[in-house]
Amino acid sequence: MHHSTFAFTVFILIFVIIFVSLHAYIYYRTRTALELGKISSVIIGIFFSAMIFSPFIIRIAEKNNLNIISTFFAYTGYTWMGILSTLVLSLLFFDIIHLILNFLSKYIILNKSLLLHFNKYTFLLSTFITFLFTIIGIFEAQGIKVNKISIESPHLKKELSPLKVAQISDVHISQTLGFKYFSEITQKINELKPDILVITGDLADVDIRKNHRIINLLKNINTKYGKYAITGNHEFYTGVEIATEFYKNTDVKFLRGEFFKPVDGLILIGVDDDNGKNFDDYVATSEDKIMEGLNENTYIILLKHKPYVDENIIQKIDLQLSGHVHGGQIFPFSLIVKSIYRYFAGLYKISDRMYLYVSRGTGYWGPPIRFLSSPEITLIEIKNSDKK
Protein backbone atom coordinates (compact mmCIF):
# COMPACT_ATOMS: atom_id res chain seq x y z
CA MET A 1 0.00 0.00 0.00
CA HIS A 2 1.29 3.44 -0.97
CA HIS A 3 -0.13 6.83 -0.15
CA SER A 4 0.71 10.39 -1.00
CA THR A 5 4.14 10.87 0.56
CA PHE A 6 3.92 14.64 0.35
CA ALA A 7 0.50 14.85 2.05
CA PHE A 8 1.57 12.43 4.77
CA THR A 9 4.84 14.30 5.38
CA VAL A 10 3.02 17.63 5.68
CA PHE A 11 0.51 16.11 8.11
CA ILE A 12 3.27 14.65 10.32
CA LEU A 13 5.22 17.92 10.24
CA ILE A 14 2.21 19.99 11.29
CA PHE A 15 1.36 17.49 14.03
CA VAL A 16 4.91 17.55 15.43
CA ILE A 17 5.10 21.37 15.39
CA ILE A 18 1.76 21.71 17.22
CA PHE A 19 2.52 18.90 19.68
CA VAL A 20 6.00 20.25 20.53
CA SER A 21 4.61 23.80 20.89
CA LEU A 22 1.95 22.65 23.36
CA HIS A 23 4.57 20.86 25.45
CA ALA A 24 6.85 23.90 25.38
CA TYR A 25 4.00 26.08 26.61
CA ILE A 26 3.10 23.70 29.46
CA TYR A 27 6.78 23.29 30.36
CA TYR A 28 7.18 27.08 30.63
CA ARG A 29 3.99 27.50 32.67
CA THR A 30 4.95 24.65 35.01
CA ARG A 31 8.44 26.02 35.66
CA THR A 32 7.33 29.62 36.23
CA ALA A 33 4.25 28.79 38.29
CA LEU A 34 5.93 26.30 40.61
CA GLU A 35 9.39 27.93 40.50
CA LEU A 36 11.07 24.58 39.85
CA GLY A 37 14.77 23.91 40.31
CA LYS A 38 17.11 22.37 37.75
CA ILE A 39 16.59 18.73 38.76
CA SER A 40 12.79 18.99 38.71
CA SER A 41 12.92 20.83 35.37
CA VAL A 42 15.10 18.10 33.85
CA ILE A 43 12.78 15.33 35.09
CA ILE A 44 9.73 17.09 33.63
CA GLY A 45 11.66 17.75 30.40
CA ILE A 46 12.49 14.04 30.05
CA PHE A 47 8.85 13.08 30.65
CA PHE A 48 7.61 15.62 28.11
CA SER A 49 10.14 14.39 25.54
CA ALA A 50 8.93 10.80 26.01
CA MET A 51 5.31 11.91 25.57
CA ILE A 52 6.15 13.88 22.41
CA PHE A 53 7.65 10.79 20.81
CA SER A 54 5.07 8.35 22.25
CA PRO A 55 2.88 8.17 19.07
CA PHE A 56 5.95 7.17 17.04
CA ILE A 57 7.18 4.75 19.73
CA ILE A 58 3.74 3.09 19.76
CA ARG A 59 3.75 2.61 15.99
CA ILE A 60 7.34 1.28 15.84
CA ALA A 61 6.80 -1.06 18.81
CA GLU A 62 3.55 -2.35 17.30
CA LYS A 63 5.19 -3.13 13.95
CA ASN A 64 7.97 -5.03 15.71
CA ASN A 65 5.55 -6.96 17.95
CA LEU A 66 6.87 -5.29 21.10
CA ASN A 67 3.45 -5.47 22.72
CA ILE A 68 4.43 -4.51 26.27
CA ILE A 69 6.18 -1.34 25.08
CA SER A 70 3.40 -0.35 22.66
CA THR A 71 0.70 -0.95 25.30
CA PHE A 72 2.59 0.99 27.98
CA PHE A 73 3.13 4.02 25.75
CA ALA A 74 -0.44 3.79 24.40
CA TYR A 75 -1.94 4.08 27.87
CA THR A 76 0.48 6.75 29.11
CA GLY A 77 0.92 8.66 25.85
CA TYR A 78 -2.73 8.82 24.79
CA THR A 79 -3.98 9.56 28.31
CA TRP A 80 -1.40 12.33 28.54
CA MET A 81 -2.61 13.65 25.18
CA GLY A 82 -6.08 14.07 26.67
CA ILE A 83 -4.69 15.66 29.84
CA LEU A 84 -2.48 18.00 27.82
CA SER A 85 -5.29 19.28 25.63
CA THR A 86 -7.54 20.14 28.58
CA LEU A 87 -4.70 21.68 30.57
CA VAL A 88 -3.59 23.87 27.67
CA LEU A 89 -7.09 25.24 27.09
CA SER A 90 -7.56 25.98 30.78
CA LEU A 91 -4.20 27.72 31.12
CA LEU A 92 -4.70 29.75 27.94
CA PHE A 93 -8.04 30.93 29.28
CA PHE A 94 -6.43 32.13 32.52
CA ASP A 95 -3.49 33.68 30.65
CA ILE A 96 -5.92 35.76 28.63
CA ILE A 97 -7.62 36.83 31.88
CA HIS A 98 -4.19 37.73 33.26
CA LEU A 99 -3.43 39.93 30.27
CA ILE A 100 -6.75 41.71 30.65
CA LEU A 101 -6.15 42.28 34.38
CA ASN A 102 -2.66 43.66 33.70
CA PHE A 103 -4.12 46.05 31.17
CA LEU A 104 -6.88 47.17 33.55
CA SER A 105 -4.37 47.68 36.38
CA LYS A 106 -3.03 50.71 34.47
CA TYR A 107 -6.38 52.43 34.83
CA ILE A 108 -7.98 51.02 37.98
CA ILE A 109 -6.68 49.81 41.32
CA LEU A 110 -6.42 46.01 41.52
CA ASN A 111 -5.15 43.69 44.24
CA LYS A 112 -1.38 43.51 43.62
CA SER A 113 -1.07 40.24 45.55
CA LEU A 114 -3.58 38.63 43.19
CA LEU A 115 -1.63 39.72 40.12
CA LEU A 116 1.68 38.66 41.70
CA HIS A 117 0.54 35.10 42.41
CA PHE A 118 -1.95 34.80 39.52
CA ASN A 119 0.19 32.35 37.50
CA LYS A 120 0.67 30.01 40.44
CA TYR A 121 -2.96 30.01 41.57
CA THR A 122 -4.35 29.53 38.06
CA PHE A 123 -1.85 26.76 37.31
CA LEU A 124 -2.96 24.85 40.42
CA LEU A 125 -6.64 25.47 39.60
CA SER A 126 -6.12 24.36 35.98
CA THR A 127 -4.37 21.20 37.17
CA PHE A 128 -7.29 20.40 39.49
CA ILE A 129 -9.87 21.04 36.76
CA THR A 130 -7.92 18.86 34.30
CA PHE A 131 -7.57 16.04 36.84
CA LEU A 132 -11.32 16.15 37.57
CA PHE A 133 -12.30 16.22 33.87
CA THR A 134 -9.90 13.35 33.12
CA ILE A 135 -11.24 11.07 35.86
CA ILE A 136 -14.84 11.73 34.82
CA GLY A 137 -13.89 11.28 31.15
CA ILE A 138 -12.18 7.92 31.73
CA PHE A 139 -15.32 6.54 33.40
CA GLU A 140 -17.60 8.06 30.75
CA ALA A 141 -15.55 6.43 27.97
CA GLN A 142 -16.39 3.01 29.43
CA GLY A 143 -20.13 3.63 29.69
CA ILE A 144 -21.62 2.45 26.40
CA LYS A 145 -25.19 3.69 25.97
CA VAL A 146 -27.85 2.24 23.68
CA ASN A 147 -29.59 5.00 21.74
CA LYS A 148 -32.93 3.98 20.25
CA ILE A 149 -34.35 5.93 17.30
CA SER A 150 -37.66 5.44 15.53
CA ILE A 151 -38.43 6.68 12.00
CA GLU A 152 -41.10 6.01 9.38
CA SER A 153 -41.08 5.66 5.60
CA PRO A 154 -43.60 4.72 2.91
CA HIS A 155 -40.78 3.05 0.96
CA LEU A 156 -40.30 0.25 3.50
CA LYS A 157 -42.37 -2.81 2.62
CA LYS A 158 -44.98 -3.74 5.21
CA GLU A 159 -43.51 -7.24 5.34
CA LEU A 160 -40.21 -5.77 6.62
CA SER A 161 -41.80 -3.37 9.12
CA PRO A 162 -40.53 -2.77 11.73
CA LEU A 163 -36.94 -3.12 10.52
CA LYS A 164 -34.36 -2.91 13.33
CA VAL A 165 -30.93 -1.65 12.25
CA ALA A 166 -28.10 -1.64 14.80
CA GLN A 167 -25.20 0.71 14.11
CA ILE A 168 -21.75 0.83 15.65
CA SER A 169 -19.06 3.22 14.46
CA ASP A 170 -15.56 4.39 15.34
CA VAL A 171 -14.83 1.61 17.83
CA HIS A 172 -11.07 2.03 17.30
CA ILE A 173 -9.91 -1.31 18.68
CA SER A 174 -6.36 -0.61 19.88
CA GLN A 175 -3.84 -1.31 22.62
CA THR A 176 -6.15 0.40 25.13
CA LEU A 177 -9.48 -0.88 23.82
CA GLY A 178 -9.70 -4.59 23.16
CA PHE A 179 -11.56 -7.83 23.74
CA LYS A 180 -13.30 -6.94 27.01
CA TYR A 181 -14.77 -3.71 25.67
CA PHE A 182 -15.74 -5.24 22.32
CA SER A 183 -17.31 -8.18 24.15
CA GLU A 184 -19.58 -5.73 25.96
CA ILE A 185 -20.51 -4.14 22.64
CA THR A 186 -21.45 -7.45 21.03
CA GLN A 187 -23.41 -8.57 24.09
CA LYS A 188 -25.52 -5.41 24.02
CA ILE A 189 -26.10 -5.80 20.27
CA ASN A 190 -27.33 -9.38 20.69
CA GLU A 191 -29.70 -8.24 23.44
CA LEU A 192 -31.26 -5.78 20.95
CA LYS A 193 -31.93 -8.61 18.44
CA PRO A 194 -31.39 -6.44 15.34
CA ASP A 195 -32.40 -7.43 11.82
CA ILE A 196 -29.22 -5.84 10.45
CA LEU A 197 -25.90 -4.73 11.92
CA VAL A 198 -23.83 -2.02 10.21
CA ILE A 199 -20.29 -0.92 11.08
CA THR A 200 -19.76 2.56 9.64
CA GLY A 201 -15.96 2.63 9.63
CA ASP A 202 -12.92 2.89 11.93
CA LEU A 203 -13.39 -0.48 13.60
CA ALA A 204 -9.70 -0.93 14.47
CA ASP A 205 -6.42 0.98 14.66
CA VAL A 206 -4.31 -2.20 14.94
CA ASP A 207 -3.98 -5.40 12.95
CA ILE A 208 -6.77 -7.73 14.16
CA ARG A 209 -6.67 -10.21 11.26
CA LYS A 210 -5.54 -13.04 13.55
CA ASN A 211 -7.39 -11.94 16.66
CA HIS A 212 -9.69 -14.95 16.84
CA ARG A 213 -11.46 -13.73 19.96
CA ILE A 214 -12.57 -10.52 18.21
CA ILE A 215 -13.45 -12.50 15.06
CA ASN A 216 -15.61 -14.92 17.07
CA LEU A 217 -17.39 -12.08 18.82
CA LEU A 218 -18.45 -10.66 15.44
CA LYS A 219 -19.42 -14.11 14.17
CA ASN A 220 -21.64 -14.67 17.19
CA ILE A 221 -23.76 -11.57 16.60
CA ASN A 222 -27.10 -12.85 15.35
CA THR A 223 -29.02 -10.89 12.71
CA LYS A 224 -31.87 -11.70 10.35
CA TYR A 225 -30.55 -10.00 7.20
CA GLY A 226 -26.79 -9.89 7.75
CA LYS A 227 -23.91 -7.73 8.94
CA TYR A 228 -22.22 -5.04 6.87
CA ALA A 229 -19.19 -2.76 7.13
CA ILE A 230 -17.51 0.07 5.23
CA THR A 231 -14.15 1.79 5.37
CA GLY A 232 -13.45 4.77 7.57
CA ASN A 233 -10.30 6.87 7.31
CA HIS A 234 -8.50 4.62 9.80
CA GLU A 235 -9.00 1.52 7.65
CA PHE A 236 -6.73 3.24 5.13
CA TYR A 237 -4.22 4.34 7.78
CA THR A 238 -3.98 0.82 9.20
CA GLY A 239 -4.24 -0.87 5.81
CA VAL A 240 -7.37 -1.69 3.81
CA GLU A 241 -5.91 -5.10 3.01
CA ILE A 242 -5.91 -5.80 6.77
CA ALA A 243 -9.58 -4.85 7.10
CA THR A 244 -10.48 -6.84 3.97
CA GLU A 245 -8.81 -9.99 5.28
CA PHE A 246 -10.33 -9.51 8.72
CA TYR A 247 -13.88 -9.23 7.40
CA LYS A 248 -13.32 -12.30 5.18
CA ASN A 249 -12.74 -14.28 8.37
CA THR A 250 -16.10 -13.14 9.70
CA ASP A 251 -19.53 -13.20 8.10
CA VAL A 252 -19.54 -9.41 7.77
CA LYS A 253 -19.91 -8.17 4.17
CA PHE A 254 -17.42 -5.39 3.39
CA LEU A 255 -19.14 -2.91 1.06
CA ARG A 256 -16.76 -0.79 -1.01
CA GLY A 257 -18.34 1.40 -3.68
CA GLU A 258 -21.17 -1.07 -4.25
CA PHE A 259 -24.71 -2.00 -3.30
CA PHE A 260 -26.17 -5.17 -1.82
CA LYS A 261 -29.72 -6.47 -1.60
CA PRO A 262 -30.02 -8.54 1.61
CA VAL A 263 -33.77 -9.09 1.18
CA ASP A 264 -36.45 -8.10 -1.31
CA GLY A 265 -37.42 -4.49 -0.69
CA LEU A 266 -34.14 -3.36 0.89
CA ILE A 267 -30.86 -2.10 -0.60
CA LEU A 268 -27.65 -1.20 1.24
CA ILE A 269 -25.02 1.03 -0.37
CA GLY A 270 -21.49 1.28 1.00
CA VAL A 271 -18.88 3.82 -0.16
CA ASP A 272 -15.20 4.25 0.70
CA ASP A 273 -14.16 7.10 2.97
CA ASP A 274 -12.77 10.03 0.98
CA ASN A 275 -9.46 9.90 2.92
CA GLY A 276 -8.72 6.88 0.76
CA LYS A 277 -8.04 9.20 -2.21
CA ASN A 278 -4.39 9.35 -1.07
CA PHE A 279 -4.10 5.55 -1.25
CA ASP A 280 -3.75 3.21 -4.20
CA ASP A 281 -6.56 0.84 -3.17
CA TYR A 282 -9.29 3.47 -2.91
CA VAL A 283 -12.60 2.67 -4.61
CA ALA A 284 -13.75 5.99 -6.03
CA THR A 285 -17.32 4.99 -6.94
CA SER A 286 -19.72 7.50 -5.38
CA GLU A 287 -23.22 6.89 -4.04
CA ASP A 288 -24.64 8.97 -6.89
CA LYS A 289 -23.00 6.66 -9.45
CA ILE A 290 -24.13 3.51 -7.59
CA MET A 291 -27.72 4.80 -7.55
CA GLU A 292 -27.92 4.71 -11.36
CA GLY A 293 -30.31 1.96 -12.38
CA LEU A 294 -31.49 1.13 -8.85
CA ASN A 295 -35.19 0.90 -8.05
CA GLU A 296 -35.84 4.12 -6.13
CA ASN A 297 -39.10 2.75 -4.70
CA THR A 298 -37.06 0.34 -2.61
CA TYR A 299 -35.96 1.33 0.90
CA ILE A 300 -32.31 2.38 0.47
CA ILE A 301 -29.74 2.76 3.26
CA LEU A 302 -26.41 4.49 2.55
CA LEU A 303 -23.39 3.68 4.71
CA LYS A 304 -20.89 6.56 4.56
CA HIS A 305 -18.25 7.19 7.19
CA LYS A 306 -18.13 10.98 7.19
CA PRO A 307 -21.46 12.82 7.61
CA TYR A 308 -21.28 14.59 4.25
CA VAL A 309 -24.51 14.67 2.29
CA ASP A 310 -24.55 14.48 -1.51
CA GLU A 311 -27.31 16.83 -2.65
CA ASN A 312 -27.81 14.68 -5.76
CA ILE A 313 -29.23 11.77 -3.78
CA ILE A 314 -31.32 13.37 -1.03
CA GLN A 315 -34.55 12.47 -2.86
CA LYS A 316 -33.29 9.02 -3.82
CA ILE A 317 -32.27 7.35 -0.56
CA ASP A 318 -34.09 6.95 2.74
CA LEU A 319 -31.41 6.77 5.39
CA GLN A 320 -27.71 7.63 5.59
CA LEU A 321 -25.71 6.23 8.51
CA SER A 322 -22.43 7.95 9.35
CA GLY A 323 -19.92 8.46 12.16
CA HIS A 324 -16.38 9.89 12.25
CA VAL A 325 -17.16 12.97 14.34
CA HIS A 326 -17.24 11.18 17.75
CA GLY A 327 -19.58 13.88 19.02
CA GLY A 328 -16.37 15.84 19.59
CA GLN A 329 -15.32 13.14 22.14
CA ILE A 330 -13.95 15.61 24.71
CA PHE A 331 -15.62 18.87 25.74
CA PRO A 332 -14.81 21.71 25.02
CA PHE A 333 -13.19 20.42 21.79
CA SER A 334 -16.67 19.28 20.81
CA LEU A 335 -17.55 22.96 20.30
CA ILE A 336 -14.75 23.29 17.74
CA VAL A 337 -15.76 20.07 15.98
CA LYS A 338 -19.40 21.19 15.93
CA SER A 339 -18.41 24.39 14.14
CA ILE A 340 -16.65 22.33 11.43
CA TYR A 341 -19.30 19.66 10.80
CA ARG A 342 -22.79 20.75 9.85
CA TYR A 343 -24.14 17.35 10.87
CA PHE A 344 -22.54 16.69 14.24
CA ALA A 345 -24.45 14.01 16.14
CA GLY A 346 -27.91 12.49 16.19
CA LEU A 347 -30.81 12.36 13.75
CA TYR A 348 -31.36 14.89 10.96
CA LYS A 349 -34.23 15.23 8.51
CA ILE A 350 -32.47 16.05 5.23
CA SER A 351 -35.37 15.99 2.76
CA ASP A 352 -38.96 14.79 2.47
CA ARG A 353 -37.51 11.34 1.97
CA MET A 354 -34.07 11.20 3.57
CA TYR A 355 -32.87 10.94 7.16
CA LEU A 356 -29.27 11.12 8.33
CA TYR A 357 -28.05 9.62 11.59
CA VAL A 358 -24.57 10.55 12.85
CA SER A 359 -23.22 8.26 15.55
CA ARG A 360 -21.19 9.68 18.46
CA GLY A 361 -19.01 6.60 18.08
CA THR A 362 -18.94 3.34 20.01
CA GLY A 363 -15.35 3.56 21.27
CA TYR A 364 -12.77 6.32 21.37
CA TRP A 365 -9.70 7.42 19.45
CA GLY A 366 -6.40 8.25 21.19
CA PRO A 367 -7.09 9.33 24.78
CA PRO A 368 -9.23 6.73 26.61
CA ILE A 369 -11.42 9.67 27.58
CA ARG A 370 -14.85 10.94 26.58
CA PHE A 371 -16.28 14.00 28.28
CA LEU A 372 -19.92 14.99 27.71
CA SER A 373 -20.04 12.66 24.71
CA SER A 374 -20.77 9.08 25.79
CA PRO A 375 -20.06 6.18 23.41
CA GLU A 376 -23.16 4.71 21.81
CA ILE A 377 -24.69 1.74 20.06
CA THR A 378 -27.61 2.94 17.95
CA LEU A 379 -30.75 0.96 17.27
CA ILE A 380 -32.87 2.50 14.51
CA GLU A 381 -36.36 1.06 14.20
CA ILE A 382 -37.87 1.78 10.79
CA LYS A 383 -41.60 1.43 10.32
CA ASN A 384 -43.81 1.52 7.25
CA SER A 385 -45.78 4.79 7.24
CA ASP A 386 -48.31 3.83 4.59
CA LYS A 387 -51.71 4.06 6.30
CA LYS A 388 -53.56 2.18 3.55
Side-chain angles (χ1 to χ4, degrees), residues 218-351:
L218 260 182
K219 279 185 174 181
N220 291 330
I221 294 176
N222 299 311
T223 62
K224 194 173 183 180
Y225 302 124
K227 294 169 275 191
Y228 307 88
I230 57 169
T231 62
N233 49 313
H234 282 254
E235 270 76 22
F236 287 99
Y237 301 156
T238 307
V240 172
E241 72 280 2
I242 290 174
T244 302
E245 188 176 331
F246 169 77
Y247 284 125
K248 279 183 179 178
N249 293 329
T250 70
D251 52 1
V252 176
K253 185 168 181 60
F254 200 25
L255 296 175
R256 302 192 60 203
E258 59 188 308
F259 75 91
F260 185 77
K261 188 177 180 181
V263 63
D264 186 42
L266 177 65
I267 291 175
L268 272 73
I269 295 174
V271 294
D272 268 3
D273 182 72
D274 61 3
N275 267 76
K277 291 176 182 178
N278 290 324
F279 296 76
D280 289 342
D281 42 12
Y282 171 63
V283 177
T285 311
S286 67
E287 56 266 40
D288 190 21
K289 187 71 176 175
I290 298 168
M291 283 294 303
E292 294 178 4
L294 292 184
N295 181 2
E296 293 180 13
N297 291 321
T298 301
Y299 194 86
I300 300 174
I301 299 175
L302 169 64
L303 309 181
K304 185 175 182 178
H305 182 60
K306 290 192 182 73
Y308 297 146
V309 175
D310 184 344
E311 294 295 327
N312 294 320
I313 52 90
I314 61 174
Q315 297 296 343
K316 299 177 181 179
I317 71 166
D318 299 276
L319 176 63
Q320 177 177 325
L321 297 176
S322 300
H324 183 68
V325 186
H326 292 221
Q329 187 162 322
I330 302 174
F331 180 86
F333 289 98
S334 51
L335 300 178
I336 300 171
V337 177
K338 196 170 185 177
S339 70
I340 297 171
Y341 288 92
R342 179 181 180 184
Y343 304 111
F344 175 71
L347 185 68
Y348 298 88
K349 180 72 171 171
I350 304 299
S351 69

